[in-house]
Every structure is written in structure tokens, then in C-alpha cells.
Amino acid sequence: MTGYVQVSTATETREQAVDLAKSLVTAKLAAGAQIVGPVTSVFWHLGEFGAGQEWQLLLKARADRYPQIEAHLVEHHPWTNPEVVATAIVAGSPDYLRWIGTTTEPDPA
């Protein structure tokens, strides 16, 4: 494992996704974010079948920052129970991974 993750969530609007991305990147919890959409989602929620359009937010980060990213998303996301999923980055170009690592280095205490 490389020690890096891609964290995903989704929002109802593009503006919500942009706001979350900006807050995570400016806090140096994520090195960068990509916003994709709209995407079509099909799901079960509160016992009901649904479908709709969402905006997907993909964040690049250090694996050790995941708990802070999850807490930030849960606190600032407009949904009560948002998707917050981390996928391990198992390989990547050394320069790109180094960029993620140095960009999201925690500030010294």
C-alpha cells in the first residue's frame, strides 16, 4: 500500500461539491479534488427505492488524514448520512504521490 487514498462523496448540487472541495483543500486535508457530474445514482434510502442526479467529489489524500477528512465531511456535508468512502491508491507515479504527501503534511504542533 502506498499510504494514499481517494475519498469519495456525493452532493445534490455542484455548488455543494465545490464548497466541500474548497474547505478540504484549503484545510490541507486533501491535496486536490475533482468534481464530476452530474452523475445518475440509483439507491435505497430510508426503505424507499430512488434515483436521481448527484455531483461526485473525489479527493486525493494521505491515508493517515482519512479520519479528519471523514469528520470534516460528516460535519459540513448537507446530508445527514453522506457517502464517505476511501479507496486505497495501490500505485501511482512517485512524483504525484509525493505531491499528495507534501501538500497534505500536517502542520507541526
Side-chain angles (χ1 to χ4, degrees), residues 66-92:
Y66 175 78
Q68 294 166 292
I69 294 167
E70 179 183 322
H72 185 97
L73 285 170
V74 168
E75 180 180 347
H76 294 95
H77 202 289
W79 294 344
T80 304
N81 184 26
E83 166 195 351
V84 181
V85 177
T87 303
I89 297 174
V90 296

Side-chain angles (χ1 to χ4, degrees), residues 6-11 20 39 41 54-59 66 70 73-74 77 79-87:
Q6 179 171 279
V7 180
S8 64
T9 192
T11 62
L20 285 172
V39 297
S41 293
E54 299 175 336
W55 291 82
Q56 187 176 39
L57 175 58
L58 304 172
L59 305 155
Y66 175 78
E70 179 183 322
L73 285 170
V74 168
H77 202 289
W79 294 344
T80 304
N81 184 26
E83 166 195 351
V84 181
V85 177
T87 303

Side-chain angles (χ1 to χ4, degrees), residues 29-53:
L29 294 174
Q34 295 170 314
I35 297 166
V36 182
V39 297
T40 300
S41 293
V42 178
F43 51 86
W44 283 99
H45 182 66
L46 300 174
E48 294 186 18
F49 181 79
Q53 289 191 334

